[in-house]
Amino acid sequence: MPDASNPSPPRFLLFEYSELNPNFRDNPHALLDPQRADRPVEHDGMLPAMLITAYAAGRETLRDPDLSRNFNNAAPNNPVIANVRRLNAAVEAEFGRHDSIVILDGEDHTRVRNIIAEAFLKRAAAMQARVSEIVDARLDALSGRDSFDVVADYAAQIPMRVLGALMGCPDDSLDDLKRWTEAGQVAFDPTKSAEQEELALDGRRGILGHFQTLMAARRADPQDDLVSDLLAAQAAGAPIDDNEILHNLFAVLVAGHLTTSDLIANGVSLLLDHPDARDAILATPALIQPAVEEILRYEPPISFTARFPKADGQVSRCPYHAGDALVVSLIATNRDPGRFDAPHAFDINRRPNPHMAFGAGAHICVGAPLARLEGQIALLKLFERFPNLRRAGGTSSEWRAVPGVRGLVRLDVTV
Ligand code: HEM
């Protein structure tokens, strides 16, 4: 723990331990391991924020019902949150308040999440055959090629097609939805350019406009899809209004694309680096289930999540003020030696595997079953189709410089 008699200079923790720092991207654990050992909970030296790297403290924070997930409760001088607020405010006049479960708290969160989760999970549970078809079609499209980029040519091609099929977005809208969603990944980046901000804003408008049109079409003529299910639930008396449906459709789409694409590409990269694990999965395909859990633990696609206290308090005796962002580093909690034996070993037989890649508490990822299904099918089928898959010579992993994201820029392979 820090020595109070010998205070160290203030540190810009949220930069140092974010993907904006190239050293962090290259090897986050070289920085996170000593941080977690010495200062498992520490207040940022400059920002109204606290960095939590220990598993127990992180879990306790995410599960605390008194902490808010609504960034409108964050201190106004937090530049990261100011960004997201600005994006939301810019579209509010046209598309209403951002009432998604991502930021709702308490009773409103429970009310809306129950309705969204019930409809979404019913659809997700019936997606196995469709996901397999989508994956097979992507593999067919790659056949005959000597090499390809796993990220752009495979992983990123799957989730939007799955989401389109589940939600009811027409095939000819998927390229736009993918481009708009990807433009929005800079939402939490305080260093983004004016041009990137404009593209993110256009993307947000595009997606919301798309779902506004789709809701009107499905209300007039229901189909076999999530949008129709939510409108039917509302018509049958479920307490959810049009604005809440619209913004939750937005949230599901945006939360379900790059996250799952990164899970698949991170998984390919890890299995290329661990041929014994890949061979074990090919010999015993049921191993893909614990393997995906280990991939999620080892390289979690969302590297941090946050809560915002409405009153002063403390985590593990480290005090915070109302409005501070309590940032939980999932990439750090998932490698906490206090929770996981040999945390830096990639072990597909690790059981139990209580990783925090999907967060924890009331806001735990609602899309986790679909992400797992896509990850399992996409990884197993890829290695079955291309058993000799190798990294293309001379390439090394380059991670995207996007705060909160653990995802590869590209992953070139030969077949
Ligand atoms: C590997 C892929 C995925 C990862 C790593 C992931 C991770 C996360 C994390 C860390 C959270 C925040 C939890 C918290 O703060 O406690 C979250 C929330 C959420 N995720 Fe995912 N997610 C993934 C895939 C998906 C998919 C496929 C969907 C939907 C299609 C989805 C929809 C959501 C939604 C709507 C929330 C907000 C839930 C709430 O606040 O109540 N996610 N996810």
Side-chain angles (χ1 to χ4, degrees):
M1 293 299 280
D3 174 1
S5 64
N6 181 20
S8 37
R11 290 162 65 204
F12 197 176
L13 293 174
L14 258 66
F15 170 74
E16 206 176 324
Y17 296 96
S18 97
E19 289 73 14
L20 292 176
N21 176 0
N23 295 332
F24 182 85
R25 290 201 298 277
D26 284 351
N27 185 1
H29 301 289
L31 294 167
L32 288 170
D33 282 351
Q35 174 70 17
R36 186 180 44 236
D38 298 341
R39 299 156 185 262
V41 177
E42 185 179 1
H43 207 280
D44 192 280
M46 291 170 232
L47 292 176
M50 196 155 89
L51 179 70
I52 301 169
T53 46
Y55 186 95
R59 204 170 159 77
E60 176 195 320
T61 302
L62 297 187
R63 289 164 61 95
D64 185 341
D66 293 332
L67 298 173
S68 169
R69 206 174 187 284
N70 188 342
F71 44 69
N72 291 319
N73 289 315
N77 58 334
N78 182 326
V80 178
I81 302 300
N83 267 279
V84 187
R85 274 196 186 138
R86 207 169 49 235
L87 282 177
N88 277 341
V91 297
E92 215 169 78
E94 207 179 334
F95 295 104
R97 212 177 54 191
H98 180 88
D99 274 342
S100 86
I101 54 174
V102 176
I103 67 163
L104 290 176
D105 286 326
E107 284 174 13
D108 279 338
H109 178 258
T110 310
R111 170 179 60 81
V112 178
R113 177 158 167 142
N114 284 345
I115 297 165
I116 300 293
E118 187 183 333
F120 174 83
L121 293 174
K122 204 166 125 208
R123 290 253 154 219
M127 284 300 286
Q128 180 149 5
R130 191 77 183 93
V131 172
S132 288
E133 270 171 35
I134 288 167
V135 167
D136 284 340
R138 293 323 301 163
L139 289 167
D140 291 346
L142 292 171
S143 73
R145 288 178 62 172
D146 298 333
S147 63
F148 58 92
D149 170 11
V150 170
V151 176
D153 298 331
Y154 187 63
Q157 297 299 328
I158 296 167
M160 193 53 79
R161 288 181 166 82
V162 172
L163 288 165
L166 185 152
M167 301 179 82
C169 310
D171 285 350
D172 63 7
S173 66
L174 299 182
D175 286 345
D176 282 341
L177 290 172
K178 180 171 176 295
R179 187 168 40 83
W180 290 332
T181 301
E182 288 171 6
Q185 68 174 318
V186 293
F188 288 97
D189 184 353
T191 67
K192 65 177 168 292
S193 66
E195 192 193 350
Q196 283 176 311
E197 172 138 347
E198 208 40 56
L199 286 172
L201 206 50
D202 285 350
R204 213 161 254 248
R205 289 198 184 99
I207 297 168
L208 287 164
H210 168 83
F211 282 122
Q212 243 179 8
T213 308
L214 198 57
M215 281 171 66
R218 295 300 189 259
R219 186 163 267 144
D221 181 15
Q223 303 285 320
D224 182 16
D225 58 35
L226 180 69
V227 175
S228 305
D229 291 350
L230 290 172
L231 293 169
Q234 183 197 47
I240 187 165
D241 64 28
D242 278 6
N243 189 55
E244 289 164 341
I245 294 180
L246 174 65
H247 286 274
N248 280 289
L249 290 169
F250 171 89
V252 165
L253 185 93
V254 168
H257 168 51
L258 280 168
T259 48
T260 312
S261 168
D262 288 333
L263 161 64
I264 297 167
N266 294 354
V268 176
S269 174
L270 282 167
L271 293 175
L272 289 174
D273 291 345
H274 296 85
D276 290 354
R278 182 201 55 200
D279 293 347
I281 293 165
L282 287 175
T284 311
L287 277 178
I288 194 64
Q289 189 267 332
V292 163
E293 298 311 303
E294 183 66 346
I295 292 162
L296 285 162
R297 184 189 74 86
Y298 207 82
E299 295 292 12
I302 300 282
S303 66
F304 61 73
T305 185
R307 298 291 186 267
F308 306 97
K310 293 187 199 158
D312 294 359
Q314 49 177 305
V315 176
S316 297
R317 286 179 289 137
C318 182
Y320 59 70
H321 290 299
D324 282 351
L326 309 185
V327 177
V328 179
S329 168
L330 305 175
I331 205 167
T333 56
N334 276 2
R335 303 266 192 120
D336 185 340
R339 188 66 189 84
F340 298 98
D341 292 338
H344 297 307
F346 178 71
D347 175 7
I348 63 167
N349 290 304
R350 187 183 290 280
R351 278 178 232 182
N353 191 344
H355 64 75
M356 287 173 58
F358 291 121
H363 287 273
I364 194 167
C365 178
V366 81
L370 183 66
R372 288 183 160 119
L373 183 73
E374 290 181 61
Q376 291 167 14
I377 294 176
L379 288 167
L380 187 59
K381 280 183 175 280
L382 178 74
F383 285 102
E384 282 175 346
R385 181 77 70 105
F386 301 117
N388 296 319
L389 204 70
R390 296 278 177 276
R391 267 179 207 282
T395 59
S396 61
S397 296
E398 191 190 331
W399 300 90
R400 297 207 295 287
V402 179
V405 167
R406 184 73 177 155
L408 292 163
V409 175
R410 55 185 300 129
L411 174 56
D412 292 308
V413 290
T414 56
V415 299

